[in-house]
Amino acid sequence: MNLSALPLEDLIACPRCDALYHAAQPAAGERAVCGRCHSVLIAPRRRAGMTIIMMALTVTVLVLGALWFPFLRISTSGLQNSSTLLDAALSFVGGPLLIVSLAVVALIVLVPLTRALLILYVLVPIVFDRPPRPSARAAFRLAEELRPWSMAEIFAIGCAVSLVKVADLADISFGPAFYMFAGLVVVSIVQDTWMCRWSVWKSLDGAEGYR
Amino acid sequence: MLTARDAGLVACTRCTRVWPIGQTHCDRCGSRLESRDDKSLSRVWAWLAVGLMCYIPANLYPMLVTKTLTSSYNSTIVGGAIELMHGGAIVVALVILVASVAIPIAKFVCIAYLALSVRRGVRAAPGSRQKMYEIVEYIGRWSMIDVFVVAILSSLVQLNVVAAINPGPASLAFACSVIFTMLSAQAFDPRLIWDHIEADEDPASEGAAETIR
């Protein structure tokens, strides 16, 4: 097939290796993969839009909830302490380590929350067959750029490591927020595997709704 | 294999849309378009150098300062892991060693190798170099685990005079090192891996690519 004869909007270039293809919508559940570098180019799923909206709502609730409940409790010889997410994030306060504090807040609370809200802002109109919001494209681009910086799941593993680290120093137990974070790990993974970026961009072009 | 550049097009790496070569911004998502990012390698090396510089103090200074009734001691990343090993928590010690020592060092080596291989036209299979890039990009964020452990411990272990754990200066250096190497990996343009292969296979296409550039 002569690709250069096709209109530009029917073409897709692999973002990894620049190979050019004629974009054809695969059936739901199938994937279009770059023949040269094997990057996944298109992976639509049935009712993905609604699933992602539900997941984004769940992330919002879990992150906000996890802020207020303790995630670890410690007790030894009559003394006890429990720590919330905010305590952990603010533990560096005072001196130059404040920067670390701000980074921790951003990586485990602000970025996951911002991503969830941006995705809601982008997807809710197009899933319900409304025209996309005016700055939906910029919002979706930002959400994609933030993806590697959303580290809630790494924080959950960090909790488990800390648990073992102080196990001989004191008795330590998980609080409700820990389980919320564990849920967050699963939800973020589901959200990322259901999201087909190509389909979202296509919907934002106004050609068709996203389901 | 026809690439967007060979077809006289420039691809948006954010949204995979293609545009006529010469267009500067993607009309769909607004990203800056660059057929091949010439400055990519300079940015890779710059971020990598800063990341490496931060990694040195991250290992020399204490990560945690533990105060108990009778004593106060500082532990570095490696020191902390060795302590855990003596305490019998070998699995956790290994997690820490892998996340904070093995992964960062492997990342420095891999990014440097990828950046060099692109310029030198190394013949190693591009598929495996691509895989290496994907692994580096994916795994980089997991090094943050040690910073989070420090944050958790220093907020949790505040038991008045009996025991208190406070963050040490290495936590800042280590967090910076992780962030800078992530930026370094993101600055790398993986399309460069594939260009030299095309050029090696077919000298004619290299000529064509040169004129377009």
Side-chain angles (χ1 to χ4, degrees), chain A residues 107-149:
Chain A
L107 295 174
I108 61 181
V109 180
L110 292 183
V111 174
L113 200 59
T114 312
R115 269 200 78 205
L117 295 177
L118 287 172
I119 284 168
L120 286 176
Y121 176 81
V122 172
L123 286 190
V124 168
I126 57 177
V127 168
F128 291 100
D129 287 324
R130 300 279 156 78
R133 307 285 304 165
S135 36
R137 292 155 187 238
F140 189 58
R141 187 163 68 109
L142 181 60
E144 282 301 307
E145 269 169 30
L146 287 178
R147 186 201 285 255
W149 302 101

Side-chain angles (χ1 to χ4, degrees), chain A residues 1 9-12 21-27 30-32 41-44 198 202:
Chain A
M1 193 188 329
E9 59 263 31
D10 287 350
L11 296 175
I12 180 170
Y21 299 100
H22 176 211
Q25 177 86 41
E30 288 181 357
R31 307 190 304 173
L41 299 176
I42 313 176
W198 184 81
K202 205 165 164 61

Side-chain angles (χ1 to χ4, degrees), chain B residues 99-121:
Chain B
S100 326
V101 182
I103 290 180
I105 291 176
K107 243 170 39 170
F108 290 128
V109 174
C110 287
I111 295 175
Y113 168 75
L114 285 172
L116 284 176
S117 78
V118 162
R119 193 165 292 169
R120 298 270 163 88

Side-chain angles (χ1 to χ4, degrees), chain A residues 47-62:
Chain A
R47 300 189 55 76
M50 201 46 112
T51 313
I52 297 167
I53 289 178
M54 291 306 167
M55 293 300 153
L57 281 174
T58 318
V59 169
T60 314
V61 172
L62 285 178

Side-chain angles (χ1 to χ4, degrees), chain B residues 106-142:
Chain B
K107 243 170 39 170
F108 290 128
V109 174
C110 287
I111 295 175
Y113 168 75
L114 285 172
L116 284 176
S117 78
V118 162
R119 193 165 292 169
R120 298 270 163 88
V122 166
R123 305 224 162 226
S128 51
R129 277 189 286 153
Q130 168 92 7
K131 187 108 283 165
M132 183 193 263
Y133 174 68
E134 276 166 16
I135 293 172
V136 165
E137 214 190 13
Y138 175 78
I139 224 163
R141 21 202 312 273
W142 286 92

Side-chain angles (χ1 to χ4, degrees), chain A residues 8 22 36 53 94 96 105 141-142 155 160 166-168:
Chain A
L8 289 188
H22 176 211
R36 181 157 76 162
I53 289 178
V105 177
R141 187 163 68 109
L142 181 60
F155 185 78
V166 285
D168 55 341

Side-chain angles (χ1 to χ4, degrees), chain A residues 163-177:
Chain A
L163 184 89
V164 182
K165 246 189 149 168
V166 285
D168 55 341
L169 192 69
D171 293 326
I172 193 171
S173 58
F174 292 127

